Amino acid sequence: MDEIIVDAVGEVCPKPVILTKTELDKISSGTVKTKVDDDICVENIKRYAEGQGYDFDFKQTDYGFETTVVKKEGQASEVEGKVTKNVNNGKLVVAISTDTMGKGDEKLGEKLAKSFIYSMSETDPAPDTLIFYNSGIKFTTEGSEVLDDLKKLEEKGTTIMTCGTCLDYYEKKDQLAIGVVSNMYEIYEQLSQADRNIIIR
């Protein structure tokens, strides 16, 4: 059986969970040990593992914790980069209207919004369409810290649309770095024709 070590020390969730999941998806059976320095990461990996039916254990170490997830032969299928489409659940559209997530501390909101986009890029199925408007357009323009995550989503087949009026308002029309310029008619069409919508405010 394979044994894989994942070093996620210093990383915050959901990244340790996603790194663990990625390695488990690559193997038909084996063990993935993940190094973390936060007990919240331990709990999150535990919930993921138990939700999949995998065996889970952890131990304390000098750097924090080491989780152990054991996947047995026949538990789930090997992914190896395969893209899962929204065939069974219909078209999914995600609309992001802000460069923060939720109300409260702005720095925390920025961190949560980036983490949400990263989580989308690392999880299948990917949304069919991603829409950015108002201050959310900062994610699709030059200098954005999530452009690599958005490129990964685009490679999975996600259409990325950014409001042209919003680009004009923030004087970023010449700085669009990914996707296409859109308008409120197209945005309304996407949202109204979707089977499922997620709207981040």
Side-chain angles (χ1 to χ4, degrees), residues 7-183:
D7 188 354
V9 173
E11 302 289 354
V12 296
C13 277
K15 195 164 187 179
V17 178
I18 290 171
L19 292 173
T20 302
K21 176 187 181 300
T22 298
E23 295 304 324
L24 286 163
D25 283 343
K26 292 177 182 177
I27 59 176
S28 57
S29 64
T31 300
V32 175
K33 294 186 175 183
T34 305
K35 300 177 179 180
V36 296
D37 55 358
D38 186 337
D39 57 352
I40 294 174
C41 295
V42 174
E43 287 301 315
N44 288 339
I45 293 171
K46 178 183 179 181
R47 280 200 301 275
Y48 166 74
E50 292 180 346
Q52 301 299 309
Y54 303 149
D55 293 335
F56 174 85
D57 198 4
F58 78 98
K59 65 180 181 182
Q60 287 191 299
T61 65
D62 56 348
Y63 53 78
F65 306 91
E66 181 183 83
T67 66
T68 300
V69 181
V70 180
K71 177 181 181 179
K72 297 173 183 174
E73 197 71 44
Q75 285 185 308
S77 59
E78 196 168 338
V79 174
E80 294 185 341
K82 184 177 71 175
V83 176
T84 306
K85 288 294 184 182
N86 285 296
V87 175
N88 298 325
N89 296 318
K91 182 178 179 180
L92 172 62
V93 175
V94 178
I96 298 177
S97 68
T98 175
D99 57 340
T100 66
M101 189 173 186
K103 295 180 180 179
D105 186 84
E106 189 172 335
K107 291 292 183 185
L108 175 60
E110 290 174 0
K111 191 174 185 178
L112 293 174
K114 292 171 188 174
S115 181
F116 180 82
I117 293 170
Y118 169 75
S119 297
M120 280 194 295
S121 74
E122 294 293 331
T123 306
D124 291 325
D128 296 276
T129 306
L130 256 178
I131 298 169
F132 293 89
Y133 60 102
N134 210 321
S135 63
I137 63 102
K138 295 175 183 178
F139 287 128
T140 59
T141 51
E142 292 174 9
S144 166
E145 295 179 15
V146 299
L147 286 176
D148 287 343
D149 297 328
L150 294 178
K151 286 174 185 175
K152 190 177 290 187
L153 282 163
E154 199 171 53
E155 287 167 4
K156 289 183 176 186
T158 299
T159 299
I160 298 174
M161 304 168 67
T162 300
C163 166
T165 301
C166 306
L167 288 168
D168 280 338
Y169 182 84
Y170 286 102
E171 299 181 349
K172 288 182 174 285
K173 194 165 187 178
D174 297 330
Q175 298 176 37
L176 186 66
I178 192 166
V180 298
V181 177
S182 187
N183 56 70

